[in-house]
Amino acid sequence: MRLLRPLLNGYLRLVEKRKLARTRDVHKIRRDFARTARLLFRAPRRTKITRSRLTGAGEVLRVSPAQTRSDLVIFYIHGGGFIFGSPDTHSAMLGALAQRLGAAAVLPYYRLAPEAPFPAAIQDVAAAYQAVLDSGVAAHNIILGGDSAGGALAFNLLSRLCADAGPLPRALFVFSPLTDFLHEGASFRENAAREAVLPAAQAGLMAEMYLAGANPSDPAVSPLRADYRGAPPVWITVGSTEILRDDARRMSTYLQDQNVNVTLVEEHDLPHVWPIFHNFLPEARTTLDALTQWIKQVPSTADES
């Protein structure tokens, strides 16, 4: 057994989870996470990280490896319960993935709740995706990704594109995604104590701040109720002790029922969005390696047209 995993889980459960559970000030949550990201997460050497504005949309963070060897572009939507996090906090993880693929990543900044509740975030994300297309990037070269709440937004965007017959990305991947705003999965209760990062009550409160009265059963909100017929391949990973474990399991089954090619990877006792700990957690690097290989074997939709 690798020793870092239980040590990391213990620290997260005793320190970060408790801190998140007792904090109601969203500004403090944002500051604390941004500080943690600056201290703990490092992109590979010579990774280029620049902030810019897309024509017709808002700002994005561009993450480019030292050597670009691919036409692929990773369009990645950060998590943070819709109330915290940013492209900056997730840029190191995307730098690690970009280096493996030899491809650039684009991370959109989107408005956060409670100042900007639903549907502000998905509007910003959809506008950024369209702006990337308008800049000349072909849809079949886009890999759509996200984690946690950003995973929900990635699925929201995909369902919009499927409904509108819009240009679909080559593939979608998500880490520990939120897919059910009603929290009906058994793991939301069964794993409440074992979960290393997310306090179940706080997760529900964040969703309330984001929804601000919107219907959690609306297919535009909960990915588990949307239509994905015709969607490209999807890769999902989640930890066995996460409260969102069943969000991932049920989403995988739901997609398969719509004839979507799905890969579900459930890992033992790894914390919420563990690839973000790639600098010191071996399992995080292993997951990024596996995701890289999966992305490389997904055929381009241009080859099928």
Side-chain angles (χ1 to χ4, degrees):
M1 181 180 68
R2 290 171 171 172
L3 294 178
L4 279 176
R5 174 180 54 80
L7 289 174
L8 176 61
N9 279 340
Y11 165 77
L12 292 171
R13 193 174 292 114
L14 291 173
V15 178
E16 298 298 335
K17 183 179 180 181
R18 289 182 178 181
K19 183 167 61 175
L20 188 58
R22 65 174 178 260
T23 304
R24 294 294 181 267
D25 182 347
V26 296
H27 300 290
K28 176 173 172 47
I29 293 173
R30 291 168 187 169
R31 290 194 302 271
D32 286 350
F33 186 53
R35 185 182 306 113
T36 297
R38 288 193 299 270
L39 289 173
L40 296 183
F41 309 146
R42 292 286 182 271
R45 292 181 60 185
R46 296 198 295 156
T47 300
K48 185 178 181 181
I49 301 175
T50 57
R51 188 166 177 164
S52 61
R53 179 173 292 277
L54 293 173
T55 302
E59 289 187 311
V60 297
L61 201 67
R62 296 182 182 273
V63 180
S64 303
Q67 293 185 333
T68 301
R69 307 181 302 275
S70 171
D71 291 331
L72 294 178
V73 173
I74 309 161
F75 185 88
Y76 192 85
I77 308 165
H78 72 83
F82 304 102
I83 70 167
F84 69 100
S86 72
D88 305 89
T89 58
H90 288 63
S91 61
M93 177 174 66
L94 268 295
L97 181 59
Q99 181 190 53
R100 285 165 167 80
L101 284 169
V106 174
L107 291 74
Y109 289 87
Y110 60 84
R111 289 168 289 170
L112 300 175
E115 297 93 334
F118 175 82
I122 186 58
Q123 289 174 341
D124 293 347
V125 166
Y129 180 83
Q130 184 59 52
V132 169
L133 293 175
D134 293 343
S135 72
V137 178
H140 62 81
N141 283 332
I142 296 177
I143 305 296
L144 181 58
D147 65 272
S148 195
L153 292 170
F155 279 123
N156 292 157
L157 175 59
L158 183 61
S159 65
R160 280 188 171 206
L161 295 171
C162 289
D164 297 340
L168 295 171
R170 180 180 302 197
L172 178 146
F173 70 90
V174 284
F175 305 130
S176 308
L178 168 65
T179 66
D180 179 14
F181 279 76
L182 292 175
H183 307 306
E184 292 180 330
S187 61
F188 203 80
R189 298 173 298 278
E190 293 174 356
N191 283 346
R194 295 195 297 168
E195 161 75 53
V197 177
L198 296 178
Q202 187 77 321
L205 179 62
M206 290 178 185
E208 289 177 10
M209 285 191 277
Y210 172 63
L211 293 176
N215 183 359
S217 296
D218 186 341
V221 172
S222 277
L224 199 52
R225 289 161 175 79
D227 190 342
Y228 301 95
R229 284 171 293 184
V234 173
W235 185 94
I236 304 171
T237 195
V238 71
S240 62
T241 52
E242 292 194 60
I243 59 174
L244 296 181
R245 180 201 66 199
D246 288 352
D247 280 48
R249 288 181 178 179
R250 294 161 69 210
M251 191 68 194
S252 175
T253 300
Y254 184 73
L255 289 167
Q256 288 173 8
D257 289 343
Q258 297 188 39
N259 296 316
V260 178
N261 183 343
V262 186
T263 299
L264 173 64
V265 181
E266 184 174 318
E267 299 288 4
H268 174 68
D269 197 29
L270 284 171
H272 186 61
V273 195
W274 68 89
I276 204 167
F277 300 107
H278 62 93
N279 291 117
F280 49 87
L281 185 66
E283 292 91 337
R285 295 189 290 274
T286 298
T287 294
L288 291 175
D289 290 341
L291 172 58
T292 298
Q293 293 307 310
W294 180 83
I295 290 172
K296 287 181 177 179
Q297 62 82 35
V298 174
S300 169
T301 51
D303 298 335
E304 302 171 0
S305 58

